[in-house]
Amino acid sequence: MKDTARRLPGRLVGTAFGRAVLACLVLAGWALWTGGLFDGPAARQVRASSVYAAPGVDLDRAAAERVIGNRRLVVLMMRPGSDLAEVCDDTERATQGTLVLAMSRDGDDWDTYGCSRLGGDGPRDVGRSIVVESVIGQGADAFVDRPVEALKVIVLNYDRLVRTGLVPDGARTISPSLPRYLLAGGALGGVVAGAAVLWFGGRRAGRLADARRAGRDARADERAALGAATAVLAQQIIDLDRAGGPGGSAYRRLAGDYVGLLDEVSGAEPGDPVGRLRERVAELSRRAAELADEVPEAAAGGTSAHATSGSARTRGRGRR
């Protein structure tokens, strides 16, 4: 039992179905990982939103999202004392292609930490990122008690950076990860392939059903023809019996063979071939026809002998 359980995974992977299941599992794991299965709450939130407010932070999120709009800007509002650099690093995969600003209240000011993910790793890109990260949070300290107003200042800084060319213009695009596309494509392909298999399978099953029905009809026709031929043979034997027949062994053998034939016909299964039985019926019918041809000759011979005997008797009486 244990050996069978150990061999079962190998057998499963060795089949096309097992390989397909394994590929789907790999894709599903990849999709879950890239989709943020192990992300923190901030990263999960900003995958599809521009604002994250930690629990306990008083922020109208709907108003904040309207202020930011579709800019390549993500704002993380954390509780006082949070490690903003760590929070910014935790959202790296979820905020690719955006400018991230993590901020928390620090007394009468905002503690801010910017991380740009808009460019590459070249020296020019690094210098541009440093400028962008230092400018994006300027002026927000005047609105410590009004986070939405502070966000408006941050958005003005962002638009200024876009006009100077330090931040690329354009809207943020949020799209599913590649494995999700692959899973969706695989699901669509599976549906199409399944529909095609069902269609072709239905056509093949229909053709097989038609062939079986045609075979049944042909066998039924053969049995009907056999029954008709047997009935004709029976009528021939009846006519021989009424005519008196030759009365020899040939007639008795014909009758015995006919009885044996009836046993074989009645014992045949619906699907059994009947060609051999039809050949036997044809042979017996031919023998019956030959016997029927002998009946008039025998009857004619009997009539002549009777007439000759009567004439002899008549002549004998005349001589007396």
Side-chain angles (χ1 to χ4, degrees), residues 68 70-74 97-99 118 132 135-136 152-164 167-172:
I68 296 176
N70 62 350
R71 296 176 176 84
R72 298 183 184 182
L73 176 64
V74 174
T98 65
L99 173 59
L118 295 169
V132 169
V135 170
I136 189 64
K152 291 180 180 179
V153 174
I154 293 169
V155 168
L156 289 176
N157 294 335
Y158 178 89
D159 293 340
R160 183 156 52 96
L161 291 171
V162 171
R163 286 194 297 271
T164 58
V167 172
D169 193 10
R172 180 188 181 188

Side-chain angles (χ1 to χ4, degrees), residues 100-130:
V100 180
L101 178 64
M103 54 194 303
S104 64
R105 185 167 179 171
D106 184 14
D108 294 334
D109 296 321
W110 286 106
D111 183 15
T112 60
Y113 185 91
C115 43
S116 174
R117 300 192 175 98
L118 295 169
D121 297 330
R124 184 177 179 181
D125 295 324
V126 172
R128 182 181 298 177
S129 297
I130 292 174

